[in-house]
Amino acid sequence: MIFSATVQVTLRPGISDPAGSTIERSLPTLGFDGVTDVRVGKLVTFTISATDQAAARAEVDDMCRRFLSNPVIEDASVSLEQAAQAPA
Amino acid sequence: MIFSATVQVTLRPGISDPAGSTIERSLPTLGFDGVTDVRVGKLVTFTISATDQAAARAEVDDMCRRFLSNPVIEDASVSLEQAAQAPA
């Protein structure tokens, strides 16, 4: 089975986010007011082939922990969706 | 009214994604097989204060176009959610 996976990697609360702070400081000079708490993260999308949804989720969770995020400072949230089946 | 906004900035289809390709090439050496079409994007989250949802969406769409993404090579998808109201 083929799944589309979306992994959102965000900095943990309390970890300083210089990119987010820079965006937040810049927005008022461009005329955008009322924006706060800007945080910048990464978005990784891919397709994964696995025997079932549980196997796909286990593999993606393992990838997140070992490769796609730094668990010390980042949280990863995974969403999986079954892709259209290839014709038999 | 206060809204939480999540902006997903992804490279348009057909635009080369060196970071994604590097991840895709590296995964098999770490024992993760069956992963294809890896694309890396940006995730920007913030809270925005606006009079209503339509005004918030218009401001965020404008921010995306002018500042958060490069519309020539990137697509931005916005999701808005009303945050808990401050007590009156």
Side-chain angles (χ1 to χ4, degrees):
Chain A
M1 290 165 81
I2 307 289
F3 299 90
S4 329
T6 302
V7 176
Q8 298 191 338
V9 179
T10 48
L11 286 166
R12 282 171 176 259
I15 302 289
S16 126
D17 181 349
S21 306
T22 303
I23 291 175
E24 194 167 329
R25 274 199 313 274
S26 306
L27 284 170
T29 68
L30 287 165
F32 299 108
D33 293 313
V35 178
T36 52
D37 297 329
V38 183
R39 307 284 284 173
V40 178
K42 276 178 298 185
L43 183 74
V44 185
T45 61
F46 50 88
T47 60
I48 182 166
S49 144
T51 50
D52 57 25
Q53 177 130 8
R57 177 161 293 273
E59 185 168 347
V60 175
D61 284 346
D62 198 25
M63 277 169 57
C64 287
R65 215 168 28 242
R66 291 177 52 201
F67 187 56
L68 296 177
S69 75
N70 175 351
V72 177
I73 59 167
E74 291 170 330
D75 287 323
S77 107
V78 173
S79 78
L80 273 183
E81 199 174 283
Q82 192 175 343
Q85 199 75 37
Chain B
M1 290 164 80
I2 306 290
F3 299 90
S4 330
T6 302
V7 177
Q8 298 191 339
V9 179
T10 48
L11 286 166
R12 282 170 175 257
I15 302 289
S16 127
D17 181 349
S21 307
T22 303
I23 291 176
E24 194 166 328
R25 275 198 313 273
S26 307
L27 284 170
T29 68
L30 288 165
F32 299 107
D33 292 313
V35 177
T36 52
D37 297 328
V38 183
R39 308 283 283 173
V40 179
K42 277 177 295 185
L43 183 73
V44 186
T45 60
F46 50 88
T47 60
I48 181 167
S49 145
T51 49
D52 57 25
Q53 176 128 8
R57 177 160 292 273
E59 185 167 348
V60 175
D61 284 346
D62 197 25
M63 277 169 57
C64 287
R65 217 169 25 243
R66 290 177 52 200
F67 187 56
L68 296 177
S69 74
N70 176 351
V72 177
I73 59 167
E74 291 171 330
D75 286 323
S77 107
V78 173
S79 79
L80 273 183
E81 199 173 284
Q82 192 176 344
Q85 199 75 37

